[in-house]
Amino acid sequence: MENPLIRSGNYIRQRKNFLKFAVVCFGTVASVLSIAFFGSYGGWPLWVFLIIVSFAVGYLWGIAFWALFLKNVFHQK
């Protein structure tokens, strides 16, 4: 059985898996923080909007991070 850290590193080695990871990890934290900071200014439509925007920003963050930093790191042999 492999080390969980090695397994997770092998999982995010592919671009599509890294984008899933970025959306879930970054988007979840960003949505919780945005609701905590701005949730009292509106009702549930604002909450839904904040959640959608947070996960979209997580996806964009994943694309930018992959293109700028990880694209060449994972393709080295």
Side-chain angles (χ1 to χ4, degrees):
M1 177 150 254
E2 288 184 342
N3 185 346
L5 187 60
I6 293 172
R7 285 181 32 215
S8 64
N10 287 333
Y11 177 76
I12 64 170
R13 187 174 218 156
Q14 296 176 350
R15 184 176 186 261
K16 67 176 180 120
N17 293 337
F18 181 78
L19 291 178
K20 289 178 194 176
F21 176 78
V23 167
V24 170
C25 291
F26 188 85
T28 303
V29 172
S31 64
V32 168
L33 289 176
S34 63
I35 288 174
F37 289 132
F38 304 114
S40 63
Y41 294 114
W44 66 270
L46 178 66
W47 286 32
V48 171
F49 175 74
L50 290 175
I51 291 171
I52 291 171
V53 168
S54 297
F55 282 107
V57 169
Y59 183 75
L60 294 175
W61 176 86
I63 290 173
F65 198 83
W66 181 268
L68 294 176
F69 299 109
L70 299 178
K71 183 178 178 182
N72 296 327
V73 170
F74 286 134
H75 292 303
Q76 293 177 353
K77 295 196 179 197

